[in-house]
Amino acid sequence: PSAEEDGYFLLLSSPKVNWLDEQRTTKNVICVFDRSGSMAGKKFEQAKRALEFVLNNLNPGDQFNLIAYDTEVELFRPQIQPYSEEDRQSAVQFVQGLYAGGGTNIDGALQAAFQQFPSDGNPNYLLFMTDGRPTIGETDENKLLQLVQQSNTSTARLFNFGVGFDVNSRL
């Protein structure tokens, strides 16, 4: 710095962390995937790739399930599954077989998801991918939010991923 100005500096420090597999916290992950007609096209393919990425990054000890919805709600398995390579491969095939069509039953899908979480003390994560345009079941955004608060008895962390340029950012 010059004599007339205050000086400054920037220090970036990033310690190396080597996590052992037995140190990883196991988690419960439910992915809720919008396959309605409004998702058709490039955003649908991008969302499917994102879902496959999640599946490919689960760890032994984790539990997971997939819920795809349009007018109807479809579960990959009837209940949350312990992670295994065989179930991961089946889940990826399930995702690859999805197609876009029908209405958007957000409430039905979220209600089904919240019922999946066990009371095992592990952190619960709900990953919700949608363009956010409800057309089936409850369509009022404020009521949907109230229903989510009431249904989330497992205190799951809800992560909303808006898909596409026309996403409903309010929801």
Side-chain angles (χ1 to χ4, degrees), residues 16-124:
K16 185 174 183 177
V17 177
N18 293 321
W19 293 102
L20 301 174
D21 284 341
E22 59 268 7
Q23 292 176 313
R24 294 179 194 263
T25 300
T26 56
K27 60 194 169 295
N28 303 316
V29 179
I30 306 291
C31 297
V32 179
F33 185 83
D34 183 350
R35 66 173 181 196
S36 64
S38 64
M39 291 285 290
K42 186 175 182 176
K43 64 181 172 179
F44 187 71
E45 294 306 316
Q46 288 174 331
K48 281 174 53 172
R49 283 195 308 271
L51 191 52
E52 288 177 19
F53 178 83
V54 170
L55 292 169
N56 291 327
N57 285 282
L58 292 172
N59 298 305
D62 292 343
Q63 296 188 89
F64 77 102
N65 206 354
L66 307 176
I67 298 174
Y69 72 96
D70 48 25
T71 304
E72 301 296 322
V73 176
E74 180 182 4
L75 281 69
F76 166 64
R77 296 283 192 254
Q79 59 191 18
I80 196 166
Q81 298 291 304
Y83 171 85
S84 71
E85 182 58 25
E86 182 180 326
D87 276 331
R88 185 200 63 78
Q89 289 175 1
S90 295
V92 168
Q93 289 176 345
F94 175 82
V95 171
Q96 291 171 349
L98 295 174
Y99 58 91
T104 310
N105 187 358
I106 290 176
D107 181 46
L110 290 176
Q111 296 302 320
F114 286 122
Q115 293 173 13
Q116 292 279 307
F117 290 114
S119 301
D120 60 5
N122 290 335
N124 296 318

